[in-house]
Amino acid sequence: AQKITQTQPGMFVQEKEAVTLDCTYDTSDPSYGLFWYKQPSSGEMIFLIYQGSYDQQNATEGRYSLNFQKARKSANLVISASQLGDSAMYFCAMRGEMDSSYKLIFGSGTRLLVRP
Amino acid sequence: DVKVTQSSRYLVKRTGEKVFLECVQDMDHENMFWYRQDPGLGLRLIYFSYDVKMKEKGDIPEGYSVSREKKERFSLILESASTNQTSMYLCASSPAAANIQYFGAGTRLSVL
């Protein structure tokens, strides 16, 4: 069965430093997609970045990059130059397999706190 | 910008009440979703709709039903609310062939 594992319930980072949020996944589907979402205290889930399993390069979106290591089944999110506004919950997600490809499977999340 | 609007941010209901959570999207998306979010569990899919009047059960449909009479609106119904349905409920939408889902701000429901 598919599974997303985020082993860091909470993390601190100093403002302006980089931080890596861990995500490992398990799937038997040869084609899959991985996502990261941010959830500030306001509650809305904000899409950050997407990586397809056959993409040759790691995805980047501004200060966000996805460190995709297929053999290790990891898809870590790297935030460079952290800002106070980056304090939020971060969720890793995977597209469902085959007949369930419409849905997303989410990890339990990591709470990031950026210190001034 | 895609906008997904959930009618209430906070709701307090009593056990046994029938509860309606409403969600509207303005981007003509085919797919709409209802999730519940609980601490330590992430988001879990309750129901999914891929077209008007079409619905599919998600991972935790028990105790819930849904209605999609118009493309832009997807309602989650708790037929008889129970305390274990106290949770954060998130609605999302996506285009038919796309994976990225766009979320509303959530409804925090308390059942007393």
Side-chain angles (χ1 to χ4, degrees):
Chain A
Q2 286 182 294
K3 189 175 182 183
I4 292 282
T5 302
Q6 294 180 254
T7 58
Q8 306 154 313
M11 287 191 71
F12 292 94
V13 65
Q14 205 66 32
E15 193 179 9
K16 300 181 184 177
E17 291 185 353
V19 63
T20 298
L21 307 184
D22 294 342
C23 172
T24 58
Y25 60 90
D26 193 17
T27 181
S28 57
D29 199 334
S31 175
Y32 50 90
L34 296 154
F35 306 76
W36 277 93
Y37 281 84
K38 171 185 178 182
Q39 186 180 39
S41 56
S42 59
E44 184 178 355
M45 296 281 284
I46 301 166
F47 167 73
L48 295 178
I49 196 166
Y50 168 79
Q51 178 84 43
S53 59
Y54 290 118
D55 292 343
Q56 295 297 315
Q57 293 188 322
N58 286 346
T60 60
E61 289 286 348
R63 293 186 301 110
Y64 304 108
S65 61
L66 203 152
N67 184 3
F68 181 47
Q69 298 188 43
K70 199 169 183 177
R72 298 179 63 182
K73 292 191 174 180
S74 73
N76 298 339
L77 177 70
V78 181
I79 305 175
S80 62
S82 297
Q83 302 172 355
L84 296 179
D86 293 334
S87 293
M89 282 288 288
Y90 288 82
F91 291 93
C92 182
M94 165 185 285
R95 186 180 68 216
E97 289 175 334
M98 295 183 291
D99 292 344
S100 301
S101 61
Y102 54 85
K103 71 177 185 180
L104 295 177
I105 313 296
F106 285 85
S108 56
T110 296
R111 183 173 297 280
L112 177 67
L113 185 60
V114 180
R115 290 170 165 155
Chain B
D1 278 354
V2 176
K3 191 153 182 71
V4 179
T5 303
Q6 294 183 231
S7 54
S8 304
R9 291 300 305 275
Y10 301 95
L11 274 180
V12 180
K13 297 292 181 181
R14 295 203 177 276
T15 303
E17 278 192 73
K18 190 169 185 175
V19 182
F20 292 86
L21 303 183
E22 306 286 347
C23 176
V24 177
Q25 51 96 2
D26 65 358
M27 287 303 293
D28 202 36
H29 286 170
E30 287 76 16
N31 298 337
M32 295 189 74
F33 307 83
W34 275 107
Y35 293 89
R36 67 176 278 175
Q37 181 181 8
D38 300 290
L41 297 178
L43 278 71
R44 293 177 292 167
L45 182 65
I46 305 172
Y47 265 99
F48 156 66
S49 170
Y50 54 91
D51 202 351
V52 175
K53 297 190 186 296
M54 307 305 290
K55 62 185 179 184
E56 293 281 346
K57 291 181 179 179
D59 299 317
I60 51 164
E62 296 78 18
Y64 304 95
S65 61
V66 290
S67 172
R68 192 162 181 206
E69 297 296 319
K70 293 184 178 181
K71 191 175 185 180
E72 68 270 19
R73 186 179 296 271
F74 192 34
S75 303
L76 180 70
I77 304 156
L78 287 65
E79 295 290 344
S80 177
S82 63
T83 54
N84 62 13
Q85 292 178 310
T86 291
S87 186
M88 174 74 141
Y89 290 87
L90 288 157
C91 175
S93 72
S94 74
N99 292 135
I100 298 170
Q101 295 181 18
Y102 300 90
F103 284 81
T107 296
R108 194 168 293 280
L109 173 67
S110 295
V111 182
L112 306 178

